[in-house]
Amino acid sequence: ANTAWAFGTLGAPAPQLFDAIARASEQRISSFNEQNLANTAWAFATLGTPAPQFFDAIARECGQLVSSFTPQHLAKTAWAFETLGIPAPPIFEVIAHETADSNRRSSP
């Protein structure tokens, strides 16, 4: 996660490295926390690196953890999926639910 994030931050495409990260991470995705998921997805999207199987794994793991994401993690992850054109219903459903709850709490 940190390596992908660093390359994304630098804007340094590294297709072979990102292929290796995707393959290795798919095997260990259940050990990723919310920040790891968000930052890794963000890095792939920032560099325009599609990895459909890896993003499928991220989506499955997000389905388990998405309710504990911070707003920043939700935004980064949703942005990554949208940027790469990959559907992510669990993420968008939680954002819609949280937004509706927030609006109800702030209404007079």
Side-chain angles (χ1 to χ4, degrees), residues 1-92:
N2 289 337
T3 300
W5 175 84
F7 275 77
T9 299
L10 292 172
Q16 290 178 325
L17 174 64
F18 273 68
D19 285 346
I21 289 171
R23 284 193 310 276
S25 296
E26 282 178 52
Q27 305 302 314
R28 292 188 257 167
I29 199 76
S30 64
S31 68
F32 279 38
N33 64 26
E34 298 85 347
Q35 184 175 5
N36 296 146
L37 291 167
N39 286 348
T40 305
W42 173 86
F44 273 75
T46 295
L47 296 175
T49 307
Q53 288 180 311
F54 179 46
F55 271 75
D56 286 347
I58 291 173
R60 282 191 304 276
E61 195 62 26
C62 285
Q64 307 263 333
L65 300 174
V66 75
S67 63
S68 61
F69 275 36
T70 66
Q72 181 181 9
H73 296 145
L74 281 173
K76 273 186 164 180
T77 306
W79 177 85
F81 275 84
E82 184 62 27
T83 297
L84 292 174
I86 301 170
I91 296 164
F92 294 109

